[in-house]
Amino acid sequence: NAGVTQTPKFQVLKTGQSMTLQCAQDMNHNSMYWYRQDPGMGLRLIYYSASEGTTDKGEVPNGYNVSRLNKREFSLRLESAAPSQTSVYFCASSESGTGELFFGEGSRLTVL
Amino acid sequence: GENVEQHPSTLSVQEGDSAVIKCTYSDSASNYFPWYKQELGKRPQLIIDIRSNVGEKKDQRIAVTLNKTAKHFSLHITETQPEDSAVYFCAASGGGDSGGYQKVTFGIGTKLQVIP
């Protein structure tokens, strides 16, 4: 039981490049989330998917897109990376929208 | 939307002493208050949570209290140990949303250092 798996763990991009962060969970959870973590700002929600087939914006969605590919997978795409998107990104899942979040190991993204 | 304030941002205690972290929230409809611990370079993990129908919950050396009237909740760690050193996040969720989903809003985190 791997829990929540996200890839890649590290990535360096140049301004304007695009990339996709992949996330998969094997706990049969309905809800999935993407957060970014920046020093002094806690965890901020980028996008979430309450259930398969639905996605919604969180606090800081600008510059990102998401796809809930199926119940297991939820990807985050940066179409044109900017230095302000340098951060640690965490994918998470929960059985429903009202309980414990299970986080992946994080992806550290640097945009030069 | 919900706003969660957390303090202090850093906290140093001697091993064996107690540590208290406090959070306030703004949305009176919030009804679930989890606490997450994040060790350096690791993922956040749930350590304790409380729902709005109880005022206090304990799990060994960790306890959480909730005051719904004042809209604040606190984490108490007793007999601190070096392995308690980490960043602790409070969070609040509730208020309702489409499909019954309740957004989780996090505080900015408290870096706890336990000095041996």
Side-chain angles (χ1 to χ4, degrees):
Chain A
N1 189 338
V4 179
T5 304
Q6 56 182 107
T7 57
K9 288 187 170 53
F10 301 94
Q11 183 73 49
V12 178
L13 291 176
K14 294 181 180 178
T15 297
Q17 287 185 319
S18 62
M19 75 159 298
T20 299
L21 297 173
Q22 307 284 357
C23 176
Q25 52 91 9
D26 62 3
M27 296 174 282
N28 201 35
H29 285 170
N30 289 309
S31 301
M32 297 186 73
Y33 318 80
W34 278 104
Y35 286 89
R36 61 177 289 174
Q37 184 175 28
D38 302 291
M41 305 199 71
L43 292 153
R44 292 182 294 168
L45 183 64
I46 305 171
Y47 270 93
Y48 67 97
S49 171
S51 61
E52 185 179 358
T54 68
T55 61
D56 279 291
K57 296 178 180 179
E59 299 174 66
V60 289
N62 291 345
Y64 306 95
N65 284 301
V66 290
S67 296
R68 183 75 182 265
L69 304 170
N70 47 54
K71 191 171 185 179
R72 292 185 63 249
E73 298 173 288
F74 188 41
S75 63
L76 178 72
R77 182 161 179 84
L78 288 70
E79 290 291 352
S80 179
S84 60
Q85 294 178 304
T86 293
S87 188
V88 179
Y89 292 85
F90 285 98
C91 177
S93 69
S94 67
E95 185 173 344
S96 66
T98 61
E100 179 178 0
L101 292 173
F102 292 83
F103 287 88
E105 291 184 316
S107 298
R108 183 174 293 276
L109 175 64
T110 301
V111 183
L112 303 175
Chain B
E2 176 66 276
N3 181 48
V4 177
E5 296 189 355
Q6 180 174 352
H7 58 94
S9 56
T10 60
L11 179 60
S12 291
V13 299
Q14 292 289 331
E15 183 177 357
D17 286 351
S18 295
V20 180
I21 303 169
K22 298 182 179 181
C23 291
T24 61
Y25 62 98
S26 61
D27 188 348
S28 57
S30 289
N31 56 16
Y32 176 62
F33 307 93
W35 287 86
Y36 289 83
K37 175 183 180 182
Q38 185 180 28
E39 296 177 355
L40 188 63
K42 302 285 183 65
R43 73 190 83 189
Q45 292 188 294
L46 182 75
I47 54 171
I48 194 167
D49 56 11
I50 190 168
R51 296 190 183 271
S52 60
N53 56 344
V54 296
E56 183 175 1
K57 184 176 179 180
K58 286 184 179 180
D59 183 2
Q60 299 182 350
R61 296 186 296 108
I62 294 173
V64 58
T65 59
L66 171 65
N67 183 328
K68 284 219 76 181
T69 303
K71 288 191 275 189
H72 66 70
F73 56 113
S74 301
L75 178 72
H76 304 254
I77 306 173
T78 59
E79 301 173 18
T80 53
Q81 301 169 3
E83 52 264 39
D84 295 329
S85 295
V87 178
Y88 292 81
F89 292 97
C90 64
S93 72
D97 202 330
S98 59
Y101 169 73
Q102 298 174 332
K103 291 182 186 179
V104 180
T105 301
F106 285 85
I108 63 169
T110 296
K111 184 175 182 181
L112 173 65
Q113 181 185 21
V114 179
I115 304 166

